[in-house]
């Protein structure tokens, strides 16, 4: 058995736990909206046609914020199509995902869903095929109290109170040649700055997210962030990052170390943003919005391009196994570890499309394996994020070289006295005997401990066996001020300790 150790102290604070790190993403793509969150006639549907089973799972998952309506979808979206009487709404071609959009769900419906789910809305404006005027129009419709043409239209459509959306994305992935309205960094930076200034004239307190690179592998990565921020630094609050991970060429060892790539991506964007701030002689710190992240088996999707025009087709409905769940848990560790600079994060997406929740039309909804580390981390991470000093053996990977077997982060809530350790064992075959030094916390007891692991690391949850893989109680003891936990191979573990 391998041996590893952690040392933590309530004095080594990185930052408060940011609840917006537990965000998700709903895009008009595949079955995320239609037969995902919305399915009139479903046995659990409410008066607005929203699936009650999916709403219940969203609340259980601990989602705090949802980005909407895209994604690539937004760069061709006309928000006006999705308001007013549903029978009068136009049916459109949706070019990003080669499907038919009925516009049965639009702004007002989604905001009603978000209120039922008790989540904050993060709204993305179309800066691909549209621009400043349309951004101001949708803001007037959503947020202006009344007395103007578009705010009164919202009221006439049944939303008497403003939607009050505070967090706005200035477009989506406009560095990507696949994006409708793809732009150079200079073109986008100017447009983002002008749109931001206009929105702030309309409502000074908005939080605005500029598009960063759609991937750290983009040839323009770094240069894009630098140019965009040179032009928009004083006008925006956050810059976005997007990253997806999958097993490439059967290399599971490197896949299990995906959080190293996330760490490096975050650190690189922070360094670039701070360099721009220094050049501009600004004391302001740009924070990060990691508003798309997940495991996505993208190569499978790229190998099967769509040819038919359909309403809500089945698109990238990846089925996730235990290994995927461990990677997702490790990515959450990375996000928490960078909570001093990552202000927002959205796992993409919520339902059916590369999602923690799956549903079938007219049938059940269930939790995929990746649901569980998200739900437990959201429930348990409270108070402050602590720096963890880790001593761990390493294992070799093709992509990252020698990688620590164990990765961890911790949180501490001074109000409740709870301390939580989140840890992964990345090794495919070796268990780890883990010791966690807790002397600085005084006398603690183990309140609960959970592990995501299975003897079959390829096990999944399905419609017929939805609880095949669930968190299992984990044995954890405290002896002489040390927490002792045996970590199985390919596992994610959370231990809550308390002084009560």
């Amino acid at each position: 058995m391998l041996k590893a150790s952690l040392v933590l102290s309530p004095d080594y604070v990185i930052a408060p736990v940011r609840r917006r790190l537990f965000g998700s993403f709903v895009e008009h793509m595949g079955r995320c909206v239609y037969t995902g969150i919305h399915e009139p006639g479903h046995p659990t549907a409410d008066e607005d046609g929203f699936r009650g089973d999916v709403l219940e799972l969203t609340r259980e998952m601990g989602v705090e914020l949802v980005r909407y309506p895209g994604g690539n979808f937004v760069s061709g979206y006309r928000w006006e199509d999705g308001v007013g009487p549903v029978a009068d709404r136009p049916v459109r071609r949706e070019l990003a995902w080669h499907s038919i959009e009925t516009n049965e769900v639009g702004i007002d419906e989604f905001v009603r869903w978000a209120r039922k789910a008790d989540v904050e809305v993060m709204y993305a404006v179309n800066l691909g095929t549209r621009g400043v005027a349309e951004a101001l129009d949708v803001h007037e419709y959503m947020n202006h109290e009344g007395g103007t043409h578009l705010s009164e239209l919202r009221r006439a459509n049944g939303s008497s109170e403003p939607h009050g959306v505070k967090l706005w994305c200035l477009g989506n992935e406009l560095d990507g040649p696949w994006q409708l309205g793809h732009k150079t960094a200079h073109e986008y930076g100017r447009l983002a700055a002008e749109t931001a200034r206009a929105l702030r004239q309309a409502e000074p307190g908005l939080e605005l997210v500029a598009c960063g690179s759609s991937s750290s592998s983009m040839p323009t990565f770094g240069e894009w962030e630098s140019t965009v921020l040179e032009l928009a630094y004083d006008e925006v609050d956050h810059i976005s990052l997007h990253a997806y991970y999958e097993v490439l060429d059967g290399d599971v060892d490197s896949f299990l170390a995906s959080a190293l790539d996330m760490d490096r991506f975050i650190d690189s964007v922070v360094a670039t943003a701070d360099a721009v701030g220094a050049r501009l002689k600004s004391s302001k710190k740009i924070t990060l919005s990691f508003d798309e992240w997940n495991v996505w088996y993208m190569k499978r999707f790229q190998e099967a391009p769509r040819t038919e025009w359909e309403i809500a087709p089945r698109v990238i409905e990846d089925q996730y196994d235990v290994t995927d769940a461990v990677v997702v848990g490790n990515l959450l560790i990375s996000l928490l570890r960078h909570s001093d600079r990552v202000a927002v994060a959205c796992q993409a997406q919520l339902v059916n499309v590369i999602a923690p929740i799956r549903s079938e039309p007219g049938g059940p909804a269930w939790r995929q394996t990746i649901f569980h580390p998200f739900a437990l981390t959201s429930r348990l991470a409270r108070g402050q994020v602590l720096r963890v000093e880790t001593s761990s053996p390493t294992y070799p990977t093709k992509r990252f070289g020698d990688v620590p077997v164990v990765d961890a982060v911790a949180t501490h809530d001074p109000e409740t006295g709870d301390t939580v350790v989140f840890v992964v064992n990345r090794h495919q075959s070796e268990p780890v005997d883990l010791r966690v030094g807790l002397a600085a916390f005084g006398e603690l007891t183990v309140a609960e401990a959970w592990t995501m692991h299975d003897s079959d690391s390829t096990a999944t949850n399905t419609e017929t066996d939805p609880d095949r893989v669930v968190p299992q109680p984990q044995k954890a003891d405290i002896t002489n001020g040390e927490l002792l936990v045996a970590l199985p191979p390919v596992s994610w573990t959370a231990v809550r300790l308390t002084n009560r």
Side-chain angles (χ1 to χ4, degrees):
M1 178 179 286
L2 301 176
K3 297 184 182 300
S5 63
L6 311 176
V7 177
L8 50 147
S9 167
D11 296 326
Y12 300 154
V13 175
I14 295 173
V17 174
R18 298 185 191 247
R19 297 305 304 167
R20 280 176 169 176
L21 293 183
F22 303 105
S24 190
F25 181 26
V26 167
E27 181 172 3
H28 285 251
M29 176 184 182
R31 297 193 309 112
C32 187
V33 174
Y34 306 115
T35 71
I37 68 170
H38 187 261
E39 188 182 347
H42 188 272
T44 70
D46 64 15
E47 68 281 2
D48 293 314
F50 297 124
R51 288 184 58 147
D53 53 357
V54 172
L55 270 169
E56 185 178 343
L57 288 174
T58 301
R59 297 187 197 104
E60 179 188 334
M61 190 172 152
V63 175
E64 298 276 348
L65 168 147
V66 175
R67 183 172 176 243
Y68 177 86
N72 293 351
F73 171 83
V74 79
S75 290
Y77 183 49
R78 305 178 221 196
W79 68 269
E80 309 96 315
D81 290 349
V83 302
V86 172
D88 297 338
R89 296 180 189 180
V91 175
R92 301 278 191 190
R93 294 176 306 173
E94 201 292 291
L95 300 183
W97 305 113
H98 197 86
S99 58
I100 297 295
E101 175 55 52
T102 66
N103 288 299
E104 185 178 353
V105 171
I107 287 171
D108 296 315
E109 288 83 12
F110 183 75
V111 170
R112 282 199 291 276
W113 177 87
R115 287 175 178 159
K116 293 179 182 189
D118 195 25
V119 300
E120 179 184 0
V121 174
M122 178 184 190
Y123 191 80
V125 299
N126 178 356
L127 292 188
T129 56
R130 310 190 91 177
V132 179
E134 293 85 354
L136 287 173
D137 283 351
V138 71
H139 175 270
E140 180 183 326
Y141 183 88
M142 294 180 76
N143 277 20
H144 197 74
E145 186 171 352
T148 65
H149 171 67
L150 292 173
S151 62
E152 289 300 320
L153 179 61
R154 182 200 68 240
R155 291 166 62 88
N157 288 336
S159 298
S160 59
E161 297 299 319
H163 293 324
V165 174
K166 297 299 183 185
L167 186 57
W168 294 70
C169 299
L170 302 174
N172 175 75
E173 291 189 357
L174 285 157
D175 64 323
W178 59 84
Q179 200 75 203
L180 288 173
H182 164 60
K183 293 171 174 56
T184 66
H186 190 270
E187 289 169 338
Y188 171 72
R190 287 275 295 122
L191 178 57
E194 293 299 333
T195 306
R197 277 190 282 269
L199 286 171
R200 287 244 168 83
Q201 282 182 255
E203 186 175 351
L206 297 180
E207 285 184 66
L208 304 176
V209 183
C211 290
S213 294
S214 52
S215 158
S216 61
S217 64
M218 292 294 290
T220 54
F221 172 57
E223 180 184 353
W224 173 276
E225 282 79 3
S226 183
T227 300
V228 167
L229 288 176
E230 288 275 3
L231 294 165
Y233 196 91
D234 290 334
E235 315 304 332
V236 302
D237 303 286
H238 318 290
I239 190 161
S240 71
L241 300 81
H242 294 174
Y244 295 99
Y245 301 98
E246 64 182 312
V247 179
L248 297 173
D249 301 320
D251 185 6
V252 176
D253 283 333
S254 294
F255 176 59
L256 283 162
S258 294
L260 269 74
D261 180 82
M262 179 178 271
D263 289 339
R264 293 172 185 176
F265 193 5
I266 292 169
D267 292 343
S268 296
V269 176
V270 167
T272 303
D274 287 350
V276 174
R279 288 199 299 273
L280 297 176
K281 298 180 173 58
S282 174
S283 59
K284 175 181 177 179
K285 292 289 186 185
I286 296 289
T287 48
L288 277 52
S289 176
F290 216 128
D291 46 45
E292 289 188 33
W293 69 269
N294 205 351
V295 172
W296 174 6
Y297 287 88
M298 194 178 299
K299 285 195 175 297
R300 300 175 191 167
F301 171 69
Q302 292 169 337
E303 289 166 0
R306 293 191 45 72
T307 57
E308 301 297 320
W309 295 92
E310 300 175 66
I311 298 171
R314 291 181 181 266
V315 176
I316 57 171
E317 298 190 2
D318 285 354
Q319 190 173 56
Y320 292 113
D321 63 19
V322 175
T323 303
D324 298 323
V326 172
V327 170
V328 164
N330 201 174
L331 296 174
L332 287 162
I333 287 171
S334 176
L335 291 168
L336 282 169
R337 181 164 49 231
H338 290 93
S339 55
D340 56 332
R341 296 301 292 270
V342 179
V344 180
C346 302
Q347 186 187 42
Q349 294 182 20
L350 180 65
V351 194
N352 290 327
V353 178
I354 52 172
I357 299 171
R358 283 289 306 275
S359 68
E360 280 298 313
W366 67 96
R367 307 163 189 84
Q368 293 228 67
T369 61
I370 64 171
F371 177 100
H372 295 292
F374 188 109
L376 279 168
T377 305
S378 179
R379 177 171 70 83
L380 295 173
R382 291 290 190 274
Q384 299 168 328
V385 182
L386 303 182
R387 188 174 77 247
V388 174
E389 295 298 325
T390 304
S391 176
S392 169
T394 61
Y395 73 101
T397 69
K398 294 177 183 177
R399 183 175 177 190
F400 303 109
D402 289 341
V403 167
V405 170
V406 167
D407 191 24
V409 76
T411 61
H412 174 66
D413 189 344
E415 292 186 8
T416 65
D418 285 354
T419 299
V420 184
V421 178
F422 303 96
V423 59
V424 289
N425 175 4
R426 296 164 167 157
H427 206 287
Q428 289 199 69
S429 58
E430 291 288 340
V432 174
D433 184 358
L434 179 69
R435 294 176 174 266
V436 183
L438 301 170
F441 294 86
E443 188 172 342
L444 295 175
T445 58
V446 176
E448 57 183 309
W450 302 96
T451 289
M452 285 294 294
H453 167 73
D454 195 277
S455 57
D456 177 5
S457 61
T458 66
T460 63
N461 293 338
T462 64
E463 179 181 359
T464 56
D465 194 0
D467 296 319
R468 167 66 179 83
V469 182
V470 296
Q472 298 294 331
Q474 168 71 36
K475 179 176 172 55
D477 298 307
I478 294 179
T479 302
N480 299 324
E482 280 192 327
L483 172 67
L484 309 177
V485 188
L487 306 177
V490 189
S491 65
W492 173 90
T493 298
V495 182
R496 181 170 68 90
L497 308 143
T498 186
N499 61 12
R500 288 173 292 182

